[in-house]
Amino acid sequence: MRIVRAIVVSAAVALATVVSTVSTSASAGVSSLTSSPVTIYGAKWCSACRSLESGLIAKKISFEVIDVDDNPAAFARARAASGTGGAIPLTNVTRNDKTVWVLGADVEAVDRALRDE
């Protein structure tokens, strides 16, 4: 279990600089677990997730976190809706009727998606 987590953490850190953004007209299959327009699917042990959270706090962007260890079903739905693999952080940004998925710890991508740029 620790080896798998170490590999996932390494992959998440590597993806922090490579961001994939997927836009869809609706977040089909993902239930609204939060009221915030920004939802991070992450984990307590994930350093890239903590980095993203710190960056969003610094930019005064409100967000909610769904812990993938505590709620694997929600993470599975998010992965399916975003078309991404199992890497974290995976962030859902909803503005108007548009949903943007950001993979990795890219604060600027989340900020742009929130501003609908």
Side-chain angles (χ1 to χ4, degrees):
M1 183 76 144
R2 288 180 192 218
I3 293 172
V4 171
R5 283 188 177 175
I7 292 169
V8 172
V9 169
S10 297
V13 171
L15 286 171
T17 57
V18 179
V19 176
S20 171
T21 305
V22 178
S23 296
T24 58
S25 59
S27 54
V30 179
S31 64
S32 179
L33 297 174
T34 68
S35 59
S36 175
V38 177
T39 303
I40 301 170
Y41 294 85
K44 296 173 192 84
W45 48 264
C46 172
S47 60
C49 300
R50 289 192 306 272
S51 175
L52 176 61
E53 292 171 22
S54 296
L56 294 178
I57 289 168
K59 285 191 156 286
K60 297 181 175 37
I61 296 173
S62 63
F63 60 91
E64 299 205 24
V65 177
I66 295 177
D67 191 294
V68 300
D69 292 327
D70 295 339
N71 199 336
F75 184 46
R77 288 190 302 274
R79 282 192 331 260
S82 67
T84 62
I88 55 174
L90 176 61
T91 305
N92 173 295
V93 181
T94 304
R95 181 167 159 68
N96 301 322
D97 287 335
K98 182 179 178 185
T99 297
V100 176
W101 293 94
V102 178
L103 179 60
D106 190 334
V107 175
E108 297 305 319
V110 172
D111 187 35
R112 284 190 307 273
L114 192 57
R115 289 184 282 132
D116 200 21
E117 292 182 355

